[in-house]
Amino acid sequence: ALFTPFKTLPTLVELLFIYCFGWTGILLLIIMITVLITSLECNRKKRFELFYYIHMLNFLIYPLGYIHGLYHLVGPQLW
């Protein structure tokens, strides 16, 4: 059986924007994609200051990742 912490299955909009793990996941994805894009050599050489300041956002990854993982949505621990 599929593990779910919900009594009824929420909609996609509820999962992404209402629950804490949804919006933290979106923020993590946005930060990581912007870090990746500004890390490309062509962007890094042209806009080094943007590259530098975007990489300073990396400190947000750890608290957002912690909050994102608080909900234990993967099911009961198997080991």
Side-chain angles (χ1 to χ4, degrees):
L2 182 65
F3 173 78
T4 177
F6 305 106
K7 290 184 171 93
T8 61
L9 287 177
T11 65
L12 182 63
V13 173
E14 289 175 334
L15 284 174
L16 291 179
F17 300 110
I18 294 176
Y19 295 107
C20 188
F21 55 81
W23 60 263
T24 55
I26 291 171
L27 285 174
L28 284 166
L29 187 64
I30 289 170
I31 290 171
M32 288 183 203
I33 287 174
T34 56
V35 166
L36 173 74
I37 290 172
T38 58
S39 295
L40 297 174
E41 188 176 357
C42 58
N43 293 328
R44 188 176 62 233
K45 286 185 176 182
K46 291 178 187 173
R47 302 175 195 96
F48 182 77
E49 284 188 23
L50 179 65
F51 160 78
Y52 178 78
Y53 290 119
I54 293 292
H55 275 72
M56 292 297 116
L57 292 176
N58 277 339
F59 76 92
L60 291 175
I61 288 177
Y62 296 105
L64 285 173
Y66 178 76
I67 294 168
H68 183 72
L70 285 176
Y71 293 92
H72 305 287
L73 292 180
V74 293
Q77 195 170 9
L78 298 175
W79 58 86

